Amino acid sequence: MPTVPIRVLSEQLISQIAAGEVVERPASVVKELVENSLDAGADSIHVEIEQGGLRLIRVRDNGIGIAGTELALALSRHATSKISSLDELESVRSMGFRGEALPSIASVARLGLTSRLRGEEAAWTLQGDMQKPKPVAHPPGTTIEVRELFYNVPARRKFLRTERTEFGHISQVFQRLALGRFDVEFRLTHDGREVYALPAATSSETRLRRLAQICGEEFAANLRVIEHEKAGLILRGWLALPAFSRSQPDLQHFYVNGRTVRDKLVNHALRQAYADVLHGSRYPAFVLYLEMDPRQVDVNAHPAKHEVRFRESRLVHDFLYRAVHDTLAEVRPDADQHRIGGTVPVPAIRPQYQAPTQAGLGLAMKEQPATAYRPAFDVLHGRQAMPALGQDATVPPLGYALAQLHGVFILAQNQEGLVLVDMHAAHERVVYEAMKRDLEAGKVRSQPLLVPFMLKVSAVFADLAEQHATTLTEMGLELDRSGPQSLRVRSVPTLLKGEDVAQLVNDVLSDINTHGSASRLQETQDHILGNMACRSAVRANRRLTHEEMNRLLRDMERTERAGVCNHGRPTWVQVDLPELDRLFLRGR
Ligand code: ADP
Ligand code: MG
């Protein structure tokens, strides 16, 4: 082998190698530059992009600026104004601190730096090949221009996608940054076209408007505000109701001390918190902000700072799980969320439909009090009187059943008007929660079969049944092996009595077969209970008596998360009297 002398790498090459870590594509440049602007205290940031950022990325801000004498320093490696000791690194609050971004970018693109220090008259600029800065005209603040990214690293340039794709990444980065700082004005333009113009948002109304601009009106109209504090941890933000779920994890924004983070522990906690209300193949949507003592979290784990390390990871996990889980559990019939045409906490994001006035249509109907509906219904159904609605404060939230529609929906009347319930979905949730409560209390109540049920299964299933006998018993299913390929079922969950036993056992065993392992027992159990509940829930087209319907309504009121079925669909909606009036153009 020919000998190769050992050499020290040149500064330029070191920077280019470092750039590989920080600067992956145009979007990473945007991230670094905007974070610098935020660190500089800017409250207005304008990002201009040309050709997906391949040709130009320009970020202007109105921050504190950089002194003319320090422009060159800002471009040298490990030069930073943000920390000066390991101690400060421990409690770092700024976005940057490595002093790596600008030199890295400068090593793989043509970089121009123009700045005017706040309170100074003169501005200075330093462009790629200039030896020293020149005076220019520029408002207080900084403009950084990055041209021809990777012009000198063809290998990397080759990996870039189309302008459109690259701009898509930029747009995502921009959105995350804009969701992180509502107090800052953000603008994004692409090839001269304005893509986002987001004024600083300081009221809850304007914050929600920004949220809707970035995450969509649908999200903004289907959310819950969360605010939770415990043991020095604060979680704030917005959770989408399960009814608004995604087929991809594309609407999940999580911030730790203002820094956007993608973290396994966080994801796990949130997935678990949503597990009860969301089908496994759907992804929840959320925008959440965790605030905590910066010394309790290490943001130095990754150069691009996406990952964090929590000192007390178990504590953080449990806190997140609890906060989100409990907030979702509050989605009960007494909440406002199911009102059609209602104003869930987003006032004035969607213009409300305005019905034409009666006068305009020449209609003249006499006003009736709300209670006048009732006798008509009662007469129609030949039922004895219900408690008088309208005056009586004891009317339950979901009211009393009036009728069943097409064997699928229950119509009920409550104080506000009409309630529509999806029988199957509601019953599924009620059964599932009841079984889960039992399970948490130790054991799902079970009903012995008078004559044990003999069942032929595969040897694999028989093995599984034997292995998981204790777990199955906890879930209310008692069985033992009666041969190489046969089982004897001795009792079934009380809530599921009357079910097809063979089908039930087969389903449960096949669930264990696909999901089961000792380490994931809890999850598997929930999954199995969910499936059992789903199978057993009243099938569409079954006729229910009024008593049965009312019992289901009462059960729903007592059940956590009764507002959504196990698959995240809503179980009921409220159509209130003003809404009904609007439908019939009354009272306008
Ligand atoms: P870091 O952000 O890790 O300190 P950078 O390479 O991103 O490292 O920036 C180096 C230094 O340049 C920063 O510490 C800061 O002093 C200065 N700087 C960069 N961008 C700006 C800006 N937009 N406004 C003011 N100062 C800036
Ligand atoms: Mg930086």
Side-chain angles (χ1 to χ4, degrees):
M1 263 224 212
T3 51
V4 180
I6 297 175
R7 271 176 300 209
V8 173
L9 297 173
S10 72
E11 269 298 302
Q12 164 83 359
L13 192 52
I14 293 173
S15 290
Q16 286 179 336
I17 292 168
E21 275 191 281
V22 194
V23 188
E24 194 190 341
R25 56 185 354 143
S28 6
V29 174
V30 171
K31 174 179 182 287
E32 293 295 336
L33 297 186
V34 172
E35 286 187 349
N36 279 346
S37 298
L38 292 171
D39 284 345
D43 61 13
S44 175
I45 299 173
H46 186 183
V47 180
E48 289 168 88
I49 303 296
E50 281 176 26
Q51 297 181 3
L54 305 181
R55 184 184 158 85
L56 172 73
I57 297 165
R58 182 189 288 129
V59 175
R60 303 165 184 271
D61 68 50
N62 64 351
I64 44 161
I66 308 171
T69 48
E70 292 192 347
L71 285 179
L73 196 58
L75 291 179
S76 49
R77 300 198 69 223
H78 306 304
T80 178
S81 54
K82 296 166 196 174
I83 53 167
S84 57
S85 68
L86 192 61
D87 204 36
E88 281 176 45
L89 180 60
E90 296 252 294
S91 57
V92 63
R93 275 260 172 204
S94 57
M95 298 284 194
F97 54 79
R98 289 165 181 267
E100 234 162 31
L102 290 187
S104 298
I105 296 167
S107 75
V108 294
R110 302 185 201 281
L111 190 138
L113 198 52
T114 307
S115 194
R116 176 165 144 199
L117 212 51
R118 235 179 240 170
E120 295 275 309
E121 287 302 312
W124 298 88
T125 187
L126 186 64
Q127 300 291 325
D129 37 15
M130 283 164 38
Q131 291 306 310
K132 55 189 198 16
K134 274 197 200 143
V136 281
H138 190 275
T142 304
T143 297
I144 299 192
E145 290 177 325
V146 176
R147 293 177 193 276
E148 312 297 335
L149 184 62
F150 299 139
Y151 75 97
N152 54 354
V153 200
R156 290 208 77 106
R157 199 165 175 104
K158 245 190 358 231
F159 278 103
L160 295 181
R161 306 285 165 213
T162 62
E163 289 173 18
R164 227 180 100 184
T165 306
E166 292 303 333
F167 185 76
H169 287 286
I170 290 176
S171 179
Q172 271 177 25
V173 161
F174 179 88
Q175 291 176 7
R176 286 187 188 275
L177 290 159
L179 283 177
R181 288 291 299 272
F182 284 83
D183 56 326
V184 174
E185 176 193 23
F186 284 93
R187 287 204 292 147
L188 175 65
T189 53
H190 189 204
D191 295 331
R193 198 170 42 87
E194 186 167 274
V195 182
Y196 281 108
L198 308 166
T202 44
S203 67
S204 73
E205 203 180 75
T206 50
R207 273 196 290 272
L208 279 159
R209 194 164 306 141
R210 178 179 292 194
L211 189 71
Q213 274 176 283
I214 294 173
C215 302
E217 305 265 321
E218 270 298 294
F219 176 68
N222 280 288
L223 46 77
R224 280 231 122 194
V225 176
I226 182 171
E227 176 137 27
H228 230 78
E229 182 169 2
K230 205 179 171 193
L233 299 170
I234 305 174
L235 186 69
R236 291 199 186 87
W238 297 280
L239 295 171
L241 292 168
F244 177 84
S245 63
R246 316 279 294 173
S247 61
Q248 284 168 32
D250 59 349
L251 228 167
Q252 305 189 336
H253 299 280
F254 197 92
Y255 297 80
V256 178
N257 291 342
R259 197 191 290 277
T260 167
V261 151
R262 253 165 292 161
D263 185 81
K264 281 207 194 74
L265 175 114
V266 170
N267 280 346
H268 186 264
L270 281 153
R271 192 151 33 80
Q272 273 205 331
Y274 265 93
D276 278 346
V277 288
L278 214 54
H279 190 259
S281 61
R282 306 289 299 173
Y283 293 89
F286 50 80
V287 180
L288 293 171
Y289 306 86
L290 177 65
E291 298 284 329
M292 61 193 296
D293 180 347
R295 280 164 307 192
Q296 290 298 313
V297 51
D298 180 6
V299 292
N300 203 13
H302 186 270
K305 311 182 198 81
H306 288 313
E307 284 167 32
V308 289
R309 225 171 273 137
F310 298 104
R311 294 268 135 93
E312 307 255 11
S313 58
R314 191 71 233 168
L315 188 86
V316 173
H317 183 281
D318 290 352
F319 169 75
L320 294 175
Y321 171 78
R322 267 285 134 225
V324 173
H325 180 271
D326 290 358
T327 304
L328 292 171
E330 282 161 19
V331 185
R332 276 199 225 202
D334 56 356
D336 258 3
Q337 307 293 350
H338 294 259
R339 216 164 293 276
I340 283 189
T343 48
V344 191
V346 194
I349 281 206
R350 298 204 226 217
Q352 289 273 311
Y353 164 66
Q354 292 286 322
T357 60
Q358 281 183 16
L361 292 170
L363 295 176
M365 281 183 184
K366 227 176 98 219
E367 267 302 295
Q368 288 181 308
T371 44
Y373 285 101
R374 222 200 75 232
F377 276 119
D378 283 350
V379 172
L380 217 60
H381 290 271
R383 279 185 295 122
Q384 65 276 62
M386 299 183 298
L389 299 188
Q391 300 92 35
D392 191 345
T394 63
V395 178
L398 291 177
Y400 297 104
L402 299 169
Q404 198 178 341
L405 185 69
H406 285 288
V408 178
F409 301 105
I410 294 171
L411 307 187
Q413 173 183 335
N414 68 356
Q415 210 117 13
E416 282 76 35
L418 177 70
V419 172
L420 281 160
V421 176
D422 179 332
M423 275 163 41
H424 177 85
H427 189 226
E428 178 181 326
R429 166 59 69 188
V430 166
V431 170
Y432 174 54
E433 292 293 337
M435 290 176 77
K436 243 179 39 165
R437 267 199 311 277
D438 281 357
L439 188 62
E440 268 158 31
K443 187 170 177 297
V444 173
R445 259 166 296 169
S446 68
Q447 170 105 10
L449 298 173
L450 282 178
V451 183
F453 186 89
M454 304 305 282
L455 180 65
K456 287 253 162 267
V457 291
S458 67
V460 177
F461 274 23
D463 286 346
L464 281 175
E466 216 171 14
Q467 274 165 35
H468 296 275
T470 330
T471 314
L472 290 167
T473 306
E474 278 168 16
M475 291 191 289
L477 203 54
E478 283 175 55
L479 39 77
D480 43 37
R481 195 171 194 158
S482 54
Q485 295 189 30
S486 60
L487 297 172
R488 178 173 34 227
V489 186
R490 285 182 283 111
S491 56
V492 295
T494 309
L495 283 161
L496 303 182
K497 65 171 192 260
E499 275 294 311
D500 177 343
V501 177
Q503 184 75 47
L504 178 71
V505 173
N506 268 302
D507 281 1
V508 168
L509 291 175
S510 102
D511 268 342
I512 293 184
N513 197 24
T514 27
H515 301 275
S517 73
S519 64
R520 301 210 312 142
L521 212 55
Q522 176 66 44
E523 254 170 77
T524 309
Q525 280 187 339
D526 285 355
H527 188 88
I528 293 173
L529 290 187
N531 277 352
M532 291 208 251
C534 181
R535 297 186 49 256
S536 82
V538 275
R539 301 279 164 223
N541 290 320
R542 218 194 98 195
R543 279 213 74 73
L544 297 184
T545 63
H546 270 93
E547 211 190 343
E548 286 175 314
M549 290 191 269
N550 280 325
R551 204 179 312 132
L552 180 57
L553 296 175
R554 300 296 80 79
D555 283 345
M556 286 172 72
E557 284 156 2
R558 275 193 299 270
T559 300
E560 282 193 17
R561 291 171 285 269
V564 284
C565 78
N566 301 344
H567 306 94
R569 291 189 301 270
T571 55
W572 66 284
V573 293
Q574 169 87 59
V575 189
D576 56 17
L577 290 174
E579 183 64 25
L580 289 168
D581 285 344
R582 263 200 297 282
L583 288 176
F584 295 98
L585 313 177
R586 294 175 79 252
R588 291 236 165 196

